[in-house]
């Protein structure tokens, strides 16, 4: 029996009742293991949404210790900042706020795969750390939860959200009262049980937001200096690069006001995520070759997935490099033909589809099992 833990990223909503952050990944992974003649127990960690990396890594090791039934191999897969939780747990020098024998658990981790993880930080964290940024982040997070659960945001709320993010992109003033009103409106539209779950969730967020400052490029410089890789653990990464928004992408949206509003949000996020040239992370020759093979070039400082710079994402072997946005890689892309349906979180024009999703996660499982096909991207 192989044991796989999936670790949500920043603001990960694995804790929100029937809304599953990794829903489509959970559907696929056991099948991919079974096709290779292996039984896999796949679980999701109920992490602390915006707490510090040591607290989140402690939650991860506590979860593993409480749910590990036998001596099978341990595989860790972290999306976004969840990948940093995995790295910190495995770091030989890690000291975590947990009563668990961390070294004992870490020594059993065979492989770690990080998916769209900000190993070298993201400028978006600096923006969201501001007072205005925190209001927008709270509203964006609620909107994402609402959209993925209900399938569509109310048009008035969506247009208000799109206008707010378009105002950032144009460096115009934003009415913070409007943001609070939009948040209250979306919350009211949900069932009482979901409202209560969300109030609990955002209460956790308000009590501990240490993660925001740790995910800045400067914060990750400190993290990387302290969190060395464990020599006995294999590290791989999935890298995402979304389409650069512009006139062409806007025209392709067509006349749908919903798509225009979500594309406006994406345009603002993409601009805020672009890396200052001095913070562009170096690559190994193997990483550069993998990205060049996937994209035709080595991504520059502007390339990102709408949340994390593309050059911030490689760590260890590049297991797969895709043209997709930050949540496409989890299966949150538009595809109404699937059951359950795949709901797109933003209109990014990435072109990511089910075939790409299957190829990406097949490569992840091949790497975790050390299959020769894991070298493709």
């Amino acid at each position: 029996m192989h044991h796989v833990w999936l670790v949500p990223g920043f603001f990960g909503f694995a804790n929100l009742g029937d809304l599953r952050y990794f829903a489509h990944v959970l559907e696929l992974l056991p099948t991919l293991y079974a096709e290779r003649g292996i039984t896999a127990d796949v679980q999701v960690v109920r992490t602390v949404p915006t707490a510090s990396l040591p607290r989140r890594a402690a939650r991860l090791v506590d979860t593993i210790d409480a749910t590990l039934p036998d001596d099978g191999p341990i595989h860790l897969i972290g999306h976004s900042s969840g990948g940093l939780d995995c790295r910190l747990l495995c770091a030989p020098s890690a000291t975590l706020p947990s009563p668990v024998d961390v070294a004992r658990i870490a020594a059993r981790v065979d492989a770690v795969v990080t998916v769209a993880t900000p190993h070298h930080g993201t400028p978006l964290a600096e923006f969201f750390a501001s007072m205005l940024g925190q209001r927008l982040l709270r509203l964006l997070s609620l909107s994402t939860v609402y959209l993925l659960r209900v399938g569509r945001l109310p048009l008035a709320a969506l247009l208000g959200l799109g206008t707010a993010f378009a105002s950032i992109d144009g460096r115009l003033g934003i009415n913070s009262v409007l943001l609070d009103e939009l948040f209250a409106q979306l919350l009211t539209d949900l069932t009482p049980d979901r409202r209560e779950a969300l109030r609990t969730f955002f209460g956790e967020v308000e009590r501990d937001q240490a993660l925001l400052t740790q995910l800045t490029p400067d914060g990750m410089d400190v993290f990387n200096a302290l969190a060395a890789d464990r020599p006995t653990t294999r590290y791989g990464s999935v890298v995402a690069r979304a389409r650069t928004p512009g006139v062409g992408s806007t025209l392709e949206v067509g006349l749908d006001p919903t798509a225009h509003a979500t594309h406006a949000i994406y345009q603002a996020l993409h601009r805020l995520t672009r890396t200052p040239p001095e913070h562009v992370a170096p690559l190994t020759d193997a990483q550069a070759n993998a990205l060049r093979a996937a994209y035709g070039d080595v991504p520059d400082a502007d390339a990102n997935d709408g949340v994390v710079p593309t050059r911030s994402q490689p760590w260890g072997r590049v297991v797969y490099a895709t043209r997709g946005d930050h949540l496409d890689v989890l299966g949150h892309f538009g595809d109404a033909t699937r059951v359950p349906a795949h709901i797109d979180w933003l209109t990014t024009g990435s072109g990511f589809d089910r075939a790409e999703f299957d190829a990406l996660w097949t490569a992840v499982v091949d790497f975790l099992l050390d299959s020769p096909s894991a070298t493709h991207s």
Side-chain angles (χ1 to χ4, degrees):
M1 173 79 75
H2 286 231
H3 305 287
V4 184
W5 277 271
L6 304 175
V7 188
F10 179 79
F11 248 104
F13 42 83
N15 309 29
L16 291 176
D18 60 351
L19 179 64
R20 297 192 297 165
Y21 186 94
F22 286 108
H24 303 295
V25 178
L26 279 168
E27 177 191 19
L28 181 61
L29 278 188
T31 300
L32 292 175
Y33 274 90
E35 288 173 351
R36 289 149 182 78
I38 294 171
T39 302
D41 175 39
V42 184
Q43 301 189 49
V44 178
V45 177
R46 294 170 63 87
T47 191
V48 193
T50 53
S52 69
L53 289 168
R55 276 196 65 201
R56 288 170 54 97
R59 175 68 65 87
L60 171 57
V61 76
D62 290 347
T63 301
I64 295 173
D65 184 66
T67 56
L68 184 60
D70 60 37
D71 295 332
I74 295 176
H75 297 158
L76 303 180
I77 303 174
H79 174 249
S80 195
S81 59
L84 303 175
D85 303 345
C86 300
R87 282 182 52 203
L88 186 55
L89 183 156
C90 294
S93 60
T95 301
L96 302 179
S98 169
V100 172
D101 183 349
V102 178
R104 176 180 62 85
I105 298 292
R108 290 187 53 188
V109 177
D110 173 64
V112 169
V113 172
T114 61
V115 181
T117 292
H119 295 288
H120 300 278
T122 173
L124 196 59
E126 295 175 320
F127 171 76
F128 281 145
S130 68
M131 290 299 293
L132 173 62
Q134 288 181 35
R135 271 193 165 94
L136 279 167
L137 177 59
R138 186 179 72 148
L139 181 57
L140 179 63
S141 299
L142 176 58
S143 300
T144 301
V145 168
Y146 189 110
L147 178 67
L148 296 180
R149 182 64 191 84
V150 177
R152 192 176 185 89
L153 283 171
L155 185 57
L158 186 55
L159 291 175
L161 185 61
T163 299
F165 274 89
S167 298
I168 298 170
D169 208 31
R171 293 182 170 82
L172 302 175
I174 298 176
N175 186 338
S176 60
V177 175
L178 173 63
L179 300 183
D180 293 339
E181 289 175 350
L182 289 172
F183 184 88
Q185 175 192 337
L186 287 177
L187 202 58
T188 301
D189 287 345
L190 296 170
T191 64
D193 287 348
R194 292 200 181 101
R195 284 201 299 271
E196 186 57 35
L198 282 162
R199 287 194 181 98
T200 301
F201 176 79
F202 285 108
E204 287 187 77
V205 170
E206 290 173 3
R207 284 191 294 274
D208 191 347
Q209 299 186 12
L211 187 58
L212 278 170
T213 55
Q214 292 175 343
L215 295 182
T216 65
D218 287 338
M220 286 308 302
D221 283 346
V222 176
F223 177 89
N224 289 328
L226 299 174
D229 288 350
R230 181 170 290 273
T232 55
T233 299
R234 296 177 295 115
Y235 294 83
S237 52
V238 171
V239 177
R241 178 185 189 176
R243 181 179 182 181
T244 302
V247 175
S249 65
T250 302
L251 291 175
E252 287 180 18
V253 169
L255 300 177
D256 182 356
T258 298
H260 271 288
T262 61
H263 191 62
I265 297 169
Y266 171 62
Q267 286 179 305
L269 291 174
H270 193 280
R271 182 182 65 79
L272 291 167
T273 304
R274 294 171 185 169
T275 309
E278 64 271 18
H279 283 298
V280 175
L283 300 169
T284 66
D285 289 344
Q287 290 169 346
N289 289 338
L291 298 184
R292 192 177 291 111
Y295 302 129
D297 60 9
V298 175
D300 61 15
D302 289 347
N304 63 77
D305 66 3
V307 175
V308 177
T310 301
R311 287 286 294 271
S312 186
Q313 298 176 32
W315 194 267
R317 182 193 299 181
V318 175
V319 173
Y320 202 87
T322 188
R323 295 184 182 273
D325 64 49
H326 196 65
L327 292 188
D328 279 345
V329 295
L330 296 182
H332 299 306
F333 56 89
D335 185 356
T337 67
R338 300 291 300 185
V339 178
H342 291 246
I343 305 298
D344 203 3
W345 75 302
L346 292 178
T347 303
T348 63
S350 68
F352 194 93
D353 58 15
R354 180 67 196 203
E356 184 69 0
F357 178 74
D358 288 350
L360 187 161
W361 287 100
T362 296
V364 169
V365 171
D366 284 345
F367 173 79
L368 291 173
L369 300 178
D370 203 23
S371 167
S373 65
T375 59
H376 89 284
S377 63

